[in-house]
Amino acid sequence: MNTRNAYFDNAKFVLIFLVVFGHMISPYRTDSNGMLSIYHFIFIFHMPVFILLAGYFS
């Protein structure tokens, strides 16, 4: 059986954390432009990276 690669496990952890963080700041995104920029930055790339990682392991 193959061993797990810690790089991909850590990448998935960071992406999951960014999803949770993005949902936590969503009520505050209308209060400031900085929060809105952070929110948009997170949600622009996290789903495509999840799809790429899932495709790599399928």
Side-chain angles (χ1 to χ4, degrees), residues 22-48:
H23 283 95
M24 283 176 37
I25 67 170
S26 65
Y28 308 108
R29 66 182 175 200
T30 57
D31 294 340
S32 71
N33 288 333
M35 283 292 189
L36 185 61
S37 298
I38 292 170
Y39 179 81
H40 281 235
F41 179 74
I42 290 171
F43 281 90
I44 282 173
F45 76 88
H46 84 275
M47 282 311 294

Side-chain angles (χ1 to χ4, degrees), residues 2-24:
N2 295 337
T3 60
R4 293 180 66 107
N5 191 341
Y7 176 77
F8 292 115
D9 288 337
N10 291 333
K12 288 189 276 186
F13 170 76
V14 168
L15 290 171
I16 291 169
F17 174 77
L18 287 175
V19 170
V20 172
F21 183 70
H23 283 95
M24 283 176 37

